[in-house]
Amino acid sequence: MTHRVGVIGGDGIGPEVVAVGLEVIDAAGVELDTVHYDLGGHRYLRDGTILPDEVLDEWRELDALYLGAVGTPDVPPGVIERGLLLKMRFELDLYVNLRPFTRPAGDGHPGHDFVVIRENTEGTYAGEGGFLRRGTPHEVATQGSVNTRFGVERCVRFAFDLARSRRGHLTLVHKTNVLTFAGDLWERTVDAVAAEYPDVTTAYNHVDAACIHFVQDPARYDVIVTDNLFGDILTDLGGAVSGGIGFAASANLHPGRVSMFEPVHGSAPDIAGTGTANPTAAVLSAAMMLDHLGETAAADRIRKACADPESLTGTTREIADQIIARL
């Protein structure tokens, strides 16, 4: 079976690591019908294009999207992030951001294996807010957090289903003692859904406490569910305690529909073209895409080949060859 996949190499090291991911997919025996899209900071600088609506319409007919990284220092912060990444997530309703973090035991580390489920279409990233008296000494800026029962519950249910398939434990991370409205909605929703999952135990952590546990005792976690902003911050920390952001993969999911897969790292323009980018995160993101496409056997083989990422060393090409040799 051939899967139709949109490929956005993007900027910086993005095209380099995506090329490795596609090569590994091919070596694992999965055939893709790829459609390549020239989008990102460099495209914006050429002609002002960010993400046309007609491209979104094309994407809705695909099976998956594979993204390298976007962003360049020559484009003001927020232009590509909001115009491409957030628009993609919101318009395609990619409501689950799934990021797995594993680290094998060794060198005095007990090892860990946990997953963060981040709500991906609401919260402070929804764009609610504005300015009053902008540019004056009395300027006011507001930035609201949008949380709906529908949006929270579908994310929470996904997390409970995942916990049931793993070790049967789910932790809600929020800040309910201060964010008494949004936090209350999240907490009540988790409690209500938990009643339908008696085989899954639950816990709650304030987000600041979770940051400490990520560093000191990440093995306590199985599945974490949290909101958009907290999830964004926690998952970067998760990458740092799991060997580095260069090993962190992610999926932006709408189960049953086109979904997007990308490494967590940025475009790293300072090393673009040097052949030194670590493609492991992009390869692991490719494996997550294969799971979404039903190619679970190939996905498992790729994950096994990347199971000890710190042993994958050398240039981009050398790491690619090492992964392929392990398949």
Side-chain angles (χ1 to χ4, degrees):
M1 181 178 179
T2 302
H3 309 283
R4 297 194 68 232
V5 173
V7 179
I8 309 103
D11 302 309
I13 65 171
E16 302 170 41
V17 297
V18 158
V20 173
L22 294 174
E23 186 179 354
V24 171
I25 289 173
D26 183 66
V30 177
E31 183 177 351
L32 301 181
D33 176 12
T34 57
V35 184
H36 290 261
Y37 293 89
D38 178 17
L39 296 170
H42 292 296
R43 173 68 185 276
Y44 174 77
L45 290 171
R46 284 204 314 275
D47 60 17
T49 298
I50 302 180
L51 177 54
D53 290 340
E54 56 267 27
V55 170
L56 275 170
D57 290 338
E58 291 179 23
W59 286 354
R60 291 185 177 96
E61 304 303 316
L62 299 177
D63 297 314
L65 297 166
Y66 187 35
L67 172 67
V70 291
T72 171
D74 298 324
V75 179
V79 173
I80 301 301
E81 292 86 348
R82 182 161 291 280
L84 177 58
L85 293 176
L86 294 188
K87 183 177 180 180
M88 181 192 309
R89 292 172 183 173
F90 294 157
E91 293 295 328
L92 299 179
D93 199 22
L94 306 177
Y95 65 89
V96 167
N97 185 286
L98 186 156
R99 298 186 180 182
F101 299 101
T102 60
R103 181 173 178 178
D107 297 326
H109 192 280
H112 59 252
D113 174 9
F114 66 92
V115 178
V116 177
I117 302 299
R118 164 191 171 191
E119 199 291 316
N120 214 27
T121 61
E122 296 186 346
T124 51
Y125 292 6
E128 192 278 331
F131 293 101
L132 178 65
R133 298 188 294 273
R134 184 175 182 179
T136 75
H138 306 289
E139 180 172 349
V140 177
T142 62
Q143 192 81 61
S145 179
V146 177
N147 299 265
T148 68
R149 175 60 185 248
F150 169 77
V152 171
E153 183 169 333
R154 63 180 179 171
C155 184
V156 166
R157 287 189 177 278
F158 182 94
F160 268 100
D161 285 335
L162 182 61
R164 173 176 277 173
S165 71
R166 288 170 50 92
R167 301 194 301 275
H169 189 268
L170 179 143
T171 304
L172 168 64
V173 173
H174 211 282
K175 191 70 175 173
T176 55
N177 59 337
V178 175
L179 304 178
T180 53
F181 303 122
D184 183 67
L185 173 59
W186 274 87
E187 192 166 47
R188 284 187 288 109
T189 302
V190 167
D191 290 345
V193 175
E196 304 175 31
Y197 292 80
D199 51 332
V200 177
T201 59
T202 62
Y204 171 79
N205 287 167
H206 289 324
V207 64
D208 43 352
C211 289
I212 296 171
H213 297 322
F214 266 43
V215 174
Q216 296 183 343
D217 184 26
R220 69 167 56 205
Y221 293 118
D222 180 17
V223 174
I224 293 169
V225 65
T226 189
D227 82 347
N228 209 336
L229 176 60
F230 294 149
D232 192 1
I233 297 167
L234 282 174
T235 50
D236 279 359
L237 181 57
V241 301
S242 302
I245 206 73
F247 301 138
S250 76
N252 297 263
L253 301 171
H254 189 122
R257 286 170 37 178
V258 61
S259 297
M260 186 268 281
F261 304 83
E262 61 173 334
V264 174
H265 62 66
S267 59
D270 56 320
I271 61 169
T274 65
T276 58
N278 189 327
T280 306
V283 171
L284 290 171
S285 298
M288 297 176 76
M289 181 171 68
L290 293 184
D291 283 326
H292 174 74
L293 297 173
E295 302 283 357
T296 55
D300 287 341
R301 289 172 57 210
I302 292 173
R303 274 189 290 270
K304 185 177 180 180
C306 300
D308 186 12
E310 293 181 357
S311 69
L312 298 169
T313 59
T315 65
T316 307
R317 180 69 260 162
E318 289 168 343
I319 294 174
D321 291 341
Q322 291 166 29
I323 293 172
I324 291 170
R326 296 178 182 184
L327 287 174

